Structures are given as C-alpha cells and as structure tokens.
Amino acid sequence: MRLVMLGPPGSGKGTQSAALQERYSVPQISTGDMFREAVTEGTELGKKAKEYIEAGELVPDELAIGIVEERLRKEDGAHGFLLDGFPRTTVQAKMLDKMLLGLEAELDGVILIRVPEEELIARLSGRRICEACGAVFHVANKPPAAKGVCDICGGQLIQRPDDSEETVRERLRVYEENTKPLIEYYEKRGILAEVDGIGPVKQVFDRISRAL
Ligand code: AP5
C-alpha cells in the first residue's frame, strides 16, 4: 500500500500514520520527523531546515524532495509506505509522481483528515513529544502515565518549538496557501478520501480503514 496523509497541522496525520504502519506493515515516512532529527543531530540539512521549521514556514522544496527520494530508495519501502507530511506543495506532488514512475509504482490513495481550526490549536498547544524517541502525547487527550515522562522509553517530554500559538497560526496560514491546492490535485485523479478527524483516535482510525 502506498498512501499520502494530508491534513492541516495537528489534524492527526502522525498519530494515524503510526497506527496504520502497525496495521499494514509499511513504513511511516514523516518529513517533519526527518527534519527534526537532522536539526537535533546538527547535520548540514538540519542547519538549513531549522530556521524555516521554527518560523512555521515550509522548508524549500528541493530539500524536502531530496530526503524523500533518498528514503524511498531504502529496501523497507519497496512494497509500500505512508507519506506523512509529504507532498506539501504542487511541485513536491509532481516530483513524487516522477519518483513513483521511476519505481514503477502508483499511489493507492490520499487520506485527507479534516479538523476545525479551534480544535487544531487546542491539540497543538497541548501536544508534548518525547525528546528521545519522538512519541506523541497530549496533556489532556493522551497524557503519559507519569507527567513529563515518555511511556515508551522514559525520555523527557517537551513542547515542539513550532507549537507556540503564534507559530501554529503561521503554519495554518502556510497550509491554506501551499498545501490546500493539493486537495484539488488529488481529487481530480479520483484517489482522495476525506475523513472526519474529530473523535477518539480509534474512531478516526476506523474511519480511515473503511475509506481504504
Ligand atoms: P510536521 O512535523 O509534518 O508538522 P505538521 O504537518 O504541521 O503536522 P503536525 O506534526 O503538527 O500534526 P499531525 O497532523 O501529525 O498531528 P499529530 O498526530 O501530531 O512538519 C513540521 C515542519 O517541518 C513544517 O512546518 C515544515 O517547516 C517542515 N516540513 C515538513 N515536511 C515538509 C515538506 N514536505 N516540505 C516542506 N517543509 C516540510 O496530533 C497532534 C496532537 O493532537 C497530538 O498531541 C495528538 O496526541 C493529538 N491528537 C491526535 N489525534 C487526536 C484525536 N483524534 N483527538 C484528540 N487529540 C488528538
């Protein structure tokens, strides 16, 4: 299965991709996670991406395309993948089509998770992530067993620097401007399925499974 997860910041792309990865045994490829890892490791890519991420802007297309191209060459993606946060612009979507052509593969579907703006802001302001393993929590919706400590690896939970209210508003604006046009791009191809992202995580997961 080859899927793209589309939706505004905080809609639950990462949460649902992690569950889908388990169900369908295909790797979750998150450009956001890959960029954050590069920033933490201080690589050249990380140095270039940092200021864009922290300002809530998109990292330039060529950098995003480069990391996805490299990632798709790995063996574990040969029979499928979940793209979480890529493509985000029409340029990226067209490049993805080219990459897939080269791999003699096609996208099976694009899932668009819809969530109203007030809920997105509430989710992002309460989100906490594990500094060590990247696991995602929420202070109210998905609290860890012990405050500030990751249930999975015991790492420290932190707030993402781009989850401040001002940066979240900028990310939502950037989504409207750059990523929303992709809805039409995939709708025209008849491979887009819209899913209501409100409700418990399991309920949203069931909706996605039915759409698939
Ligand atoms: P990225 O990390 O991809 O951020 P995003 O798209 O803004 O999405 P988020 O990770 O914020 O949200 P999500 O939809 O995954 O929600 P989550 O499951 O975590 O990208 C970060 C930055 O990297 C970008 O701004 C850009 O700079 C750069 N970048 C990345 N890809 C790029 C690209 N292709 N091109 C250019 N630049 C790129 O859930 C959010 C919270 O809600 C969590 O706390 C969760 O527990 C909670 N939650 C989830 N589901 C539910 C539910 N059903 N009910 C209640 N709470 C829920």
Side-chain angles (χ1 to χ4, degrees):
M1 170 170 357
R2 295 179 182 87
L3 271 191
V4 164
M5 301 296 284
L6 213 59
S11 55
K13 303 180 295 297
T15 301
Q16 296 297 333
S17 298
L20 288 164
Q21 161 172 264
E22 289 226 341
R23 165 77 66 91
Y24 295 101
S25 305
V26 287
Q28 169 189 8
I29 299 179
S30 159
T31 40
D33 286 349
M34 289 193 279
F35 282 134
R36 276 185 290 280
E37 223 175 278
V39 170
T40 306
E41 287 168 4
T43 63
E44 275 313 304
L45 173 71
K47 284 180 198 151
K48 287 182 189 153
K50 190 172 189 285
E51 61 178 298
Y52 295 100
I53 296 175
E54 289 183 358
E57 307 297 332
L58 291 184
V59 173
D61 281 334
E62 62 272 20
L63 296 181
I65 291 164
I67 54 167
V68 171
E69 259 181 333
E70 200 180 312
R71 183 63 184 80
L72 287 184
R73 273 192 229 114
K74 289 195 179 168
E75 180 64 20
D76 65 345
H79 302 292
F81 47 76
L82 292 155
L83 285 174
D84 163 14
F86 184 93
R88 256 174 151 102
T89 62
T90 314
V91 171
Q92 292 181 16
K94 289 183 178 159
M95 276 311 291
L96 175 62
D97 290 342
K98 267 197 178 170
M99 287 179 223
L100 291 174
L101 207 65
L103 296 169
E104 296 183 12
E106 277 188 348
L107 276 184
D108 295 305
V110 177
I111 299 287
L112 168 65
I113 309 181
R114 285 208 182 272
V115 173
E117 187 167 318
E118 326 77 77
E119 170 72 10
L120 295 173
I121 292 169
R123 284 187 189 180
L124 293 175
S125 56
R127 172 166 60 186
R128 298 292 180 271
I129 63 163
C130 174
E131 204 173 26
C133 75
V136 178
F137 297 86
H138 189 279
V139 289
N141 305 336
K142 196 188 168 197
K147 196 173 171 226
V149 180
C150 176
D151 289 348
I152 298 163
C153 74
Q156 194 192 345
L157 300 187
I158 55 158
Q159 185 166 33
R160 263 170 54 172
D162 60 343
D163 276 349
S164 69
E165 189 168 337
E166 191 192 346
T167 312
V168 165
R169 290 201 187 276
E170 178 60 9
R171 286 162 62 201
L172 291 170
R173 191 197 63 74
V174 167
Y175 173 79
E176 288 288 320
E177 192 177 303
N178 296 280
T179 310
K180 248 191 165 172
L182 291 184
I183 297 173
E184 203 184 326
Y185 183 83
Y186 287 123
E187 217 164 28
K188 278 190 186 152
R189 298 210 340 221
I191 56 170
L192 184 90
E194 289 191 29
V195 171
D196 176 5
I198 290 290
V201 170
K202 171 74 173 71
Q203 197 174 32
V204 178
F205 179 76
D206 290 342
R207 287 183 199 130
I208 295 175
S209 302
R210 275 199 298 277
L212 290 174

